[in-house]
Amino acid sequence: MPAVSKGDGMRGLAVFISDIRNCKSKEAEIKRINKELANIRSKFKGDKALDGYSKKKYVCKLLFIFLLGHDIDFGHMEAVNLLSSNKYTEKQIGYLFISVLVNSNSDLIRLINNGIKNDLASRNPTHMNLSLHCIANVGSREMAEAFAADIPRILVAGDTMDSVKQSAALCLLRLNRTSPDLVPMGEWTARVVHLLNDQHLGVVTSATSLITTLAQKSPDDFKTSVSLAIARLSRIVTSASIDLQDYTYYFVAAPWLSVKLLRLLQCYPPPEDGALRGRLTECLETILNKAQEPPKSKKVQHSNAKNAVLFEAIALIIHHDSEPTLLVRACNQLGQFLQHRETNLRYLALESMCTLASSEFSHEAVKTHIETVINALKTERDVSVRQRAVDLLYAMCDRSNAKQIVAEMLSYLETADYSIREEIVLKVAVLAEKYAVDYTWYVDTILNLIRVAGDQVSEEVWYRVIQIVINRDDVQGYAAKTVFEALQAPACHENLVKVGGYILGEFGNLIAGDSRSSPLVQFKLLHSKFHLCSVPTRALLLSAYIKFINLFPEVKATIQEVLRSDSQLRNADVELQQRAVEYLRLSTIASTDILATVLEEMPPFPERESSILAKLKRRKGPGNQPGAEEARQERERERERERSLNGSAEHREGGAAASAKSSPSVDVLSVAALPTNRPRPVSSVSLMQTPFLASCAAPSSLSAGPMTSLYPSADLLGPTGSPPSTGGSLLVDVFSDSLQAGPAPLDLAPPNTAVSEDNFSRFICKNNGVLFENQLLQIGLKSEYRQNLGRIYVFFGNKTSNQFLDFSSTVNCPDLLKTKLNVHTKPADPTIDAGAQLQQILNIECLEDFTPAPVLDIQFRYGGTLQNFGVKLPVMLNKFFQPTEMEAQDFFQRWKQLGAPQQEVQKIFKAKHPMDTEVTKAKIMGFGTALLDGVDPNPTNFVGAGVIHTKNTQVGCLLRLEPNTQAQMYRLTLRTSRDTVSQRLSDLLSEQF
Amino acid sequence: MINAILIFNNHGKPRLIRFYQYFAEELQQQIIRETFHLVSKRDDNVCNFLEGGSLIGGSDYKLIYRHYATLYFVFCVDSSESELGILDLIQVFVETLDKCFENVCELDLIFHMDKVHYILQEVVMGGMVLETNMNEIVAQVELQNRMEKSEGGLSAAPARAVSAVKNMNLPEMPRNINIGDLNIKVPSLSPF
């Protein structure tokens, strides 16, 4: 007898569904649905109380309409009524509706919780199960709060029915996932572990899932589960399959439970206890042996179930990575599967072998399969399988087979599916660099990559080849020759033009001796590509031209001619025009000596780890790491990188002005700021730095003349300046990183409402820049202040390839601040398109002096998850400074007037940045005060004065900063008429040096 | 963890959707379309696993699917699940449907969406595998059925309605899922 009798339907529902199915067009369907929605709405709102049957019918209809993709915004109340009913069928549909249609934010949760509470307490197993299902499916925080305490009790109670125990275990697991803080295990731990001994295999299966998740979080608490799991596994594996009756699936004993137990064991290292270890090894051997036995059934279910256990056993062997014999057996088994006629097995074998390749015991064994894998790459019909083959080749690559593997990948790339090309490009680039003994091979490989898959070659890849060429002088001549030859092709990719332009600009002289590649020929070759290229590439080429003028005086006239042409000097693009004008001028007025210094060859880049690797990592989930060892190293490097990144950012900030003076080589083609994985923070600093830098460098280095005016563009011209470097826009780099990155992984996005203040202090002395950035979003600011008023333009850049929905950004002032600062916000658009930027304007009025900063609360939906976080807005008291110029006499007079002890705040602190006079001056001016020369008798000291404007008062401020270069210390003294102001300003400013 | 279970027919019409992770309604529909697009363009004898679409989380997730006659059963799972295990779970689910509905076909799923949900609930709960033993699942469903019968009042509503509807002249009447012989009913895996 069928378990569902087909006659039990609801007639109204059946008729409605048939109506919909009979609709001839989409419009007709929508019309019919709207009619039904109106009908249901009126029924629900009507005066007549509906009976359970009708409610159930209407709720079912709503579910059906929802399935068809229409929003349902009512009916929840009726569903809650249904689930509170005593009738099972009504309860059931009520719960179903709620679990399908209520999201965790619903206000109804309280009512629902009430119903659940009653059912949990009912001791009726079916009702309890329904309520547990609902908790597990909705899994909201409110539910966790309400029931986290009850569920463990139900789970371990002696008189709970098996089916309820099963549900309770999974329910607890779900709550632990969604709100771990609310589900403390503590007292229940031991009893939960003992569920592994339960009679009922269904209970054991659920409990194993639960324990696995808990053990991942706190392995020590659940250590005892290892022995129980091994015992259980051993009983299953060695049993004659009939022992387990219903849990035998196509002649395989309890396959799901075995898989789960093997997963649980992967949370732990191999057991130390010898006997236990022996027993586990025995289990694993038995599983491997069974794979060689003839199948007990020809059905695919049998082999699937058997192999599910086998693959999990192999995963455990690889995880333990301690028994060489088992590892080799595992490898052989996978080798067999590589040639299996069943595609699923080939796929899984390739995937498992990837992890096996990183084990020292089996790396060599994996390598023996290289021909099979290469063959898979060529012959598999399924792109998913080919992709796994690429992954495996990447994982098994080492010095001995790198050339072969890179060559195979390159040749596969010519025909590879579009969807995986970019990843292959990254992999080839990483391997080529990692295993390059001979760098000419590396250069050839990358140029080949550009030729074969130019569109997929991202910035990281071609930046990297330039870095390497610059750093290794043994390959420079070869690189110049090779790019020169490659550029001869009638149609070459723009990325090749970029690399070619850069390399010839730097090292064209190395091949200029040959008449076939004389300077003029080189220049003409490059210039023949010029008109086909985009603006950033043209900008780069212009820089290459000015470098040519330095390298080869004989082509100066030709190049000047080109620069002088209307298409350059009057180019509509401001960046190109500026370069043309400046370079032309530079080439005309500067002496050869100056040209030579300004356009000197680029210094080597600091050795850093490849940014490509980082990019590759970002693309791939954690499951796809090349190997354990490598993963570990990578983590190490990651940490290092973070350190160096922070360091270098600061270093730049501090040293930028210094370098303007001391190292005259203009980094015309600067790649300096880009190299590592997350170039943004660095580059954003340098972008912001430029105007301020140019201004402060100007007086001190007059001799450099045009050089300083070059500076604003210098950074933009480098690859850092990023593709959309149109004009000097502050946020030019908003998109560059993300567009090719594809779907941004979510891991870096702060999911909770944490308030970020990372960049806060950088804004103390400046008004523009990048305030916040993660994988999804970049927030840039431009601000201007006049007296007690300010205006901030906030730019939100969507770095992903998906739309942000329900976007909102509001300013939140702490209570203390509300009476002191008025912030007026214009509401922002609720959506930001992929790659687009949204601007919001904040108007600010300072009423009184203040200390805390307002917080920008940002909320939006990306890929279904709600992102919510705060960013501290850099609105500080010193923004309302107006500088005051005064003579020494005035200064000292006022200084004395502000002599009361509470008016002065003094602070002595260690220098955090290099002590550079120009930088310090710029910072004091950036802070808002006037910098007074000739006031302090000691010329190394700095003195400043200004007035803070608030709506109610004005506060005059005097400051003095005394550096002690020997001790690397500063003494900062501030005097103002108000003690709170002195204190706040001292806190703000002392952080800057 | 299983993040979503999607059943749709050869034209991409959803027949059952179940998300165990919150997605806004509109996004749910987009995910269905994306998944259909990814799955339907694949030949029948390629492998049953592929990387998840960008909307559902990309390569950290796998789509594991089976194609039965007119219907696709797609499970979207994270890396903590065994691929072959899930593939068998789909089979268990379908076999259970077949037992409960006696030769299940697409129409059963359409007209008894609620029942299909209830059966699924006995197999998967909150994204985790609850029960894999078919007899146990069927027993639970029968228990539900008995309770429904005993509450007679509402199920006494026109019993012939559905069978009448089923015989109405419907456009694109789907074929049976044809689950009679297991070897035939999994067309993608038959070449043995």
Side-chain angles (χ1 to χ4, degrees):
Chain A
M1 188 200 93
V4 176
S5 43
K6 296 187 180 178
D8 295 349
M10 289 165 275
R11 186 183 173 83
L13 175 66
V15 169
F16 169 62
I17 295 174
S18 325
D19 278 1
I20 295 286
R21 290 170 53 80
N22 283 329
C23 284
K24 293 275 187 288
S25 65
K26 192 78 195 159
E27 290 73 34
E29 186 185 304
I30 290 171
K31 214 172 141 195
R32 178 69 185 86
I33 285 171
N34 285 337
K35 187 179 148 202
E36 194 62 38
L37 284 173
N39 171 39
I40 300 173
R41 221 184 275 266
S42 75
K43 283 284 190 318
F44 281 167
K45 280 202 185 131
D47 317 324
K48 226 172 64 188
L50 292 175
D51 59 14
Y53 171 75
S54 317
K55 270 191 211 154
K56 187 178 137 180
K57 181 176 72 185
Y58 293 132
V59 166
C60 258
K61 282 185 183 173
L62 290 181
L63 274 176
F64 186 78
I65 294 172
F66 176 73
L67 176 71
L68 294 177
H70 298 265
D71 269 4
I72 301 296
D73 53 5
F74 67 102
H76 299 80
M77 206 51 224
E78 284 68 22
V80 173
N81 286 338
L82 283 171
L83 71 82
S84 314
S85 152
N86 281 326
K87 280 197 172 161
Y88 174 71
T89 45
E90 292 174 12
K91 205 179 255 315
Q92 202 182 19
I93 191 85
Y95 273 124
L96 178 61
F97 185 88
I98 294 297
S99 347
V100 172
L101 265 161
V102 168
N103 63 56
S104 34
N105 299 325
S106 168
D107 303 332
L108 287 165
I109 292 272
R110 203 157 301 159
L111 287 171
I112 299 166
N113 279 358
N114 237 343
I116 293 178
K117 193 163 232 119
N118 291 336
D119 284 332
L120 276 186
S122 70
R123 308 191 69 75
N124 172 337
T126 32
H127 290 192
M128 286 172 88
N129 269 340
L130 282 179
S131 56
L132 287 169
H133 273 290
C134 183
I135 302 174
N137 289 332
V138 177
S140 70
R141 205 168 163 83
E142 290 91 335
M143 286 193 176
E145 275 163 6
F147 304 112
D150 298 336
I151 293 166
R153 204 171 300 134
I154 295 172
L155 175 60
V156 297
D159 57 348
T160 306
M161 298 260 299
D162 288 336
S163 66
V164 178
K165 269 193 203 166
Q166 266 172 284
S167 308
L170 295 186
C171 190
L172 197 57
L173 164 55
R174 176 61 184 240
L175 293 186
N176 183 280
R177 277 211 182 121
T178 50
S179 330
D181 52 316
L182 295 177
V183 192
M185 285 308 292
E187 44 182 325
W188 308 109
T189 307
R191 297 171 76 183
V192 168
V193 170
H194 272 275
L195 288 174
L196 289 176
N197 278 333
D198 200 283
Q199 293 286 316
H200 191 277
L201 286 197
V203 174
V204 185
T205 310
S206 303
T208 313
S209 301
L210 172 64
I211 295 169
T212 306
T213 305
L214 296 175
Q216 277 160 357
K217 288 180 183 161
S218 39
D220 287 345
D221 296 346
F222 290 87
K223 237 192 244 160
T224 46
S225 63
V226 173
S227 59
L228 292 180
I230 292 177
R232 192 93 222 191
L233 182 67
S234 148
R235 263 178 284 158
I236 297 170
V237 171
T238 54
S239 75
S241 48
I242 36 168
D243 296 354
L244 298 161
Q245 292 144 7
D246 288 348
Y247 283 86
T248 299
Y249 178 81
Y250 289 90
F251 305 102
V252 183
W256 282 279
L257 178 54
S258 311
V259 165
K260 294 268 175 212
L261 289 169
L262 288 162
R263 278 273 153 136
L264 169 58
L265 291 171
Q266 286 171 55
C267 300
Y268 292 95
E272 282 160 18
D273 175 81
L276 202 55
R277 197 175 170 138
R279 200 159 175 202
L280 178 59
T281 308
E282 197 184 327
C283 283
L284 296 172
E285 274 170 350
T286 315
I287 295 171
L288 286 170
N289 290 341
K290 278 188 182 167
Q292 300 303 327
E293 289 169 11
K296 293 201 175 95
S297 154
K298 283 214 158 62
K299 298 241 161 96
V300 71
Q301 283 77 19
H302 171 69
S303 81
N304 270 356
K306 196 162 120 179
N307 292 328
V309 178
L310 179 60
F311 273 108
E312 218 50 61
I314 291 175
L316 180 62
I317 293 170
I318 297 172
H319 170 79
H320 282 173
D321 196 16
S322 61
E323 300 270 352
T325 46
L326 283 179
L327 279 164
V328 169
R329 282 193 67 181
C331 187
N332 291 340
Q333 182 62 56
L334 293 178
Q336 279 181 24
F337 282 147
L338 281 185
Q339 316 222 33
H340 203 279
R341 60 191 161 164
E342 184 150 359
T343 320
N344 286 340
L345 294 181
R346 294 197 302 274
Y347 176 96
L348 294 173
L350 288 166
E351 194 178 58
S352 301
M353 254 198 193
C354 254
T355 47
L356 197 56
S358 60
S359 157
E360 55 171 318
F361 299 115
S362 48
H363 184 80
E364 288 304 314
V366 170
K367 271 167 63 186
T368 58
H369 298 288
I370 185 166
E371 295 303 331
T372 318
V373 182
I374 288 174
N375 199 35
L377 196 59
K378 289 177 176 157
T379 57
E380 282 291 349
R381 300 197 311 118
D382 185 350
V383 58
S384 325
V385 184
R386 288 197 299 270
Q387 188 164 0
R388 292 289 89 86
V390 171
D391 289 346
L392 178 54
L393 283 179
Y394 179 71
M396 66 163 69
C397 189
D398 63 15
R399 215 166 282 286
S400 72
N401 55 20
K403 284 203 172 164
Q404 185 189 8
I405 286 180
V406 165
E408 290 295 347
M409 281 192 177
L410 266 176
S411 80
Y412 172 58
L413 196 54
E414 308 221 15
T415 55
D417 310 67
Y418 222 71
S419 53
I420 59 174
R421 287 173 72 125
E422 193 192 346
E423 197 180 316
I424 299 176
V425 166
L426 292 174
K427 287 193 158 133
V428 169
V430 168
L431 293 178
E433 182 188 336
K434 193 166 168 191
Y435 298 113
V437 184
D438 163 9
Y439 276 86
T440 58
W441 173 70
Y442 170 76
V443 170
D444 287 340
T445 305
I446 301 293
L447 291 182
N448 256 332
L449 263 188
I450 296 177
R451 183 181 55 78
V452 174
D455 286 340
Q456 280 81 30
V457 171
S458 56
E459 285 183 343
E460 284 89 343
V461 175
W462 71 264
Y463 289 177
R464 189 69 188 163
V465 70
I466 286 174
Q467 282 178 359
I468 287 182
V469 170
I470 299 250
N471 285 9
R472 314 197 124 258
D473 39 20
D474 53 332
V475 77
Q476 287 161 355
Y478 180 79
K481 180 166 157 284
T482 321
V483 290
F484 177 78
E485 279 161 10
L487 283 169
Q488 308 278 349
C492 51
H493 195 272
E494 192 166 334
N495 279 334
L496 180 66
V497 179
K498 290 180 186 162
V499 175
Y502 198 119
I503 289 185
L504 292 181
E506 292 291 329
F507 308 113
N509 54 331
L510 299 176
I511 55 167
D514 190 326
S515 62
R516 284 164 301 175
S517 53
S518 70
L520 193 61
V521 176
Q522 286 185 37
F523 171 71
K524 287 205 162 140
L525 181 61
L526 279 181
H527 198 57
S528 68
K529 315 286 179 193
F530 188 89
H531 302 280
L532 303 168
C533 293
S534 63
V535 169
T537 309
R538 291 189 195 186
L540 190 147
L541 286 178
L542 287 179
S543 302
Y545 297 170
I546 185 77
K547 289 236 162 186
F548 267 33
I549 291 187
N550 175 44
L551 290 177
F552 315 118
E554 65 265 41
V555 293
K556 182 170 172 179
T558 320
I559 293 178
Q560 279 180 333
E561 198 54 43
V562 168
L563 292 176
R564 205 174 285 129
S565 73
D566 272 359
S567 63
Q568 307 296 354
L569 276 190
R570 297 175 191 220
N571 197 297
D573 185 90
V574 69
E575 176 66 35
L576 293 181
Q577 193 186 74
Q578 188 182 357
R579 286 189 192 209
V581 171
E582 287 176 358
Y583 291 160
L584 182 59
R585 190 85 192 122
L586 178 66
S587 68
T588 335
I589 62 169
S591 70
T592 28
D593 280 354
I594 290 178
L595 265 188
T597 15
V598 170
L599 301 169
E600 200 181 36
E601 191 179 300
M602 287 290 294
F605 291 93
E607 276 303 334
R608 283 172 169 155
E609 192 233 337
S610 161
S611 52
I612 308 170
L613 205 58
K615 172 153 186 177
L616 189 63
K617 246 180 353 185
R618 246 183 298 154
R619 287 177 56 84
K620 295 261 85 184
N624 227 316
Q625 292 294 340
E629 170 65 6
E630 200 154 323
R632 192 188 55 74
Q633 286 174 1
E634 267 170 33
R635 273 194 301 280
E636 198 95 314
R637 275 183 233 130
E638 182 99 52
R639 249 174 276 139
E640 193 138 330
R641 203 155 45 216
E642 250 146 47
R643 275 199 298 273
S644 73
L645 199 68
N646 295 338
S648 71
E650 276 158 20
H651 171 73
R652 261 190 92 78
E653 206 168 336
S659 71
K661 224 171 49 164
S662 62
S663 99
S665 79
V666 172
D667 182 358
V668 176
L669 301 161
S670 162
V671 215
L674 65 92
T676 36
N677 56 339
R678 305 253 314 124
R680 291 307 133 206
V682 180
S683 74
S684 60
V685 168
S686 64
L687 266 177
M688 288 177 282
Q689 207 74 44
T690 41
F692 135 87
L693 193 153
S695 66
C696 69
S700 60
S701 53
L702 282 174
S703 64
M707 185 196 92
T708 44
S709 71
L710 263 177
Y711 241 91
S713 55
D715 256 350
L716 289 171
L717 7 141
T720 350
S722 70
S725 69
T726 43
S729 158
L730 171 70
L731 288 168
V732 284
D733 58 347
V734 167
F735 312 110
S736 56
D737 196 23
S738 58
L739 282 186
Q740 324 85 328
L746 287 161
D747 53 344
L748 282 187
N752 45 17
T753 49
V755 175
S756 155
E757 50 182 284
D758 303 347
N759 288 346
F760 182 79
S761 63
R762 293 195 189 163
F763 282 83
I764 293 175
C765 291
K766 67 187 176 208
N767 288 332
N768 304 334
V770 175
L771 177 62
F772 172 86
E773 177 153 16
N774 66 14
Q775 296 276 3
L776 306 177
L777 178 71
Q778 185 194 53
I779 304 177
L781 294 188
K782 259 185 172 173
S783 30
E784 51 198 36
Y785 292 90
R786 262 192 54 218
Q787 303 202 327
N788 70 323
L789 300 176
R791 174 171 293 171
I792 301 184
Y793 300 86
V794 189
F795 300 88
F796 299 96
N798 177 350
K799 296 169 51 178
T800 71
S801 46
N802 290 319
Q803 213 181 28
F804 291 166
L805 296 170
D806 302 338
F807 184 88
S808 81
S809 140
T810 47
V811 175
N812 213 335
C813 286
D815 288 339
L816 272 176
L817 193 57
K818 279 192 180 130
T819 54
K820 302 184 172 175
L821 199 69
N822 269 339
V823 183
H824 179 83
T825 328
K826 295 199 176 137
D829 272 356
T831 52
I832 309 183
D833 287 333
Q837 211 183 66
L838 178 79
Q839 178 188 318
Q840 191 182 26
I841 300 177
L842 313 178
N843 288 316
I844 295 161
E845 184 185 20
C846 176
L847 307 173
E848 223 180 295
D849 75 271
F850 62 97
T851 303
V855 172
L856 195 60
D857 271 334
I858 293 148
Q859 208 176 30
F860 60 92
R861 215 171 266 295
Y862 166 76
T865 24
L866 188 69
Q867 308 284 332
N868 186 353
F869 50 87
V871 179
K872 227 173 169 186
L873 265 183
V875 178
M876 341 43 187
L877 189 56
N878 66 299
K879 296 292 175 200
F880 303 96
F881 254 128
Q882 292 287 311
T884 320
E885 295 287 350
M886 58 178 82
E887 295 298 316
Q889 201 186 345
D890 282 349
F891 183 86
F892 286 115
Q893 194 184 348
R894 290 179 200 210
W895 186 263
K896 280 188 196 118
Q897 281 166 4
L898 296 169
Q902 71 274 18
Q903 290 175 327
E904 181 185 283
V905 171
Q906 193 170 70
K907 201 164 177 179
I908 298 173
F909 53 91
K910 244 194 145 37
K912 291 196 214 72
H913 305 285
M915 295 175 82
D916 183 284
T917 313
E918 293 308 317
V919 177
T920 309
K921 281 185 182 167
K923 280 187 177 166
I924 290 176
M925 289 194 285
F927 192 63
T929 59
L931 188 68
L932 306 181
D933 271 337
V935 171
D936 203 303
N938 180 348
T940 58
N941 291 349
F942 305 91
V943 167
V947 177
I948 298 234
H949 289 254
T950 73
K951 191 180 177 202
N952 305 331
T953 53
Q954 298 188 353
V955 184
C957 309
L958 304 175
L959 71 85
R960 183 186 199 206
L961 181 73
E962 299 156 277
N964 178 342
T965 38
Q966 256 178 337
Q968 289 287 305
M969 305 277 281
Y970 287 101
R971 179 162 69 189
L972 173 68
T973 316
L974 266 152
R975 287 191 179 185
T976 77
S977 51
R978 214 178 259 214
D979 52 348
T980 47
V981 174
S982 306
Q983 187 58 50
R984 179 61 179 152
L985 292 179
S986 159
D987 290 345
L988 287 169
L989 188 59
S990 59
E991 284 304 303
Q992 296 298 306
F993 299 104
Chain B
M1 173 176 168
I2 301 167
N3 294 62
I5 293 174
L6 311 175
I7 305 177
F8 41 74
N9 71 5
N10 290 349
H11 306 285
K13 274 248 180 231
R15 291 309 178 205
L16 178 129
I17 48 175
R18 198 70 209 254
F19 285 87
Y20 296 101
Q21 176 193 351
Y22 175 75
F23 288 103
E25 284 83 355
E26 198 187 326
L27 197 57
Q28 291 189 4
Q29 292 295 325
Q30 285 174 13
I31 289 174
I32 295 169
R33 280 195 292 275
E34 185 187 46
T35 310
F36 172 71
H37 180 73
L38 286 172
V39 167
S40 63
K41 67 177 181 201
R42 294 170 63 84
D43 291 344
D44 260 353
N45 48 357
V46 297
C47 80
N48 298 68
F49 323 122
L50 65 155
E51 283 186 359
S54 58
L55 295 176
I56 204 149
S59 57
D60 291 347
Y61 295 89
K62 278 213 175 83
L63 300 176
I64 297 173
Y65 74 99
R66 270 181 190 272
H67 187 196
Y68 297 93
T70 63
L71 292 177
Y72 285 95
F73 287 68
V74 186
F75 282 40
C76 171
V77 304
D78 68 12
S79 61
S80 71
E81 298 289 342
S82 148
E83 288 92 344
L84 289 172
I86 294 291
L87 204 54
D88 276 349
L89 191 72
I90 299 177
Q91 179 71 18
V92 168
F93 178 46
V94 174
E95 283 185 39
T96 310
L97 287 178
D98 195 51
K99 273 195 183 164
C100 294
F101 284 103
E102 261 186 356
N103 279 335
V104 66
C105 69
E106 190 178 341
L107 274 184
D108 293 316
L109 269 65
I110 298 170
F111 285 98
H112 300 281
M113 194 185 57
D114 49 338
K115 296 273 158 53
V116 179
H117 267 294
Y118 300 146
I119 294 169
L120 180 61
Q121 274 185 1
E122 297 300 329
V123 183
V124 177
M125 166 170 165
M128 298 301 299
V129 180
L130 176 65
E131 182 57 75
T132 53
N133 174 353
M134 211 182 311
N135 295 338
E136 192 97 357
I137 302 168
V138 174
Q140 288 290 339
V141 176
E142 275 169 352
L143 178 70
Q144 288 175 15
N145 229 35
R146 278 200 299 281
M147 301 213 300
E148 187 173 333
K149 282 262 160 54
S150 69
E151 287 174 2
L154 34 131
S155 53
R160 275 147 279 111
V162 176
S163 37
V165 168
K166 269 190 144 177
N167 294 328
M168 281 170 18
N169 200 8
L170 295 173
E172 50 157 308
M173 173 76 109
R175 285 169 291 148
N176 250 359
I177 288 186
N178 186 10
I179 200 139
D181 178 79
L182 283 181
N183 256 345
I184 302 170
K185 82 186 171 193
V186 189
S188 61
L189 297 165
S190 53
F192 277 94

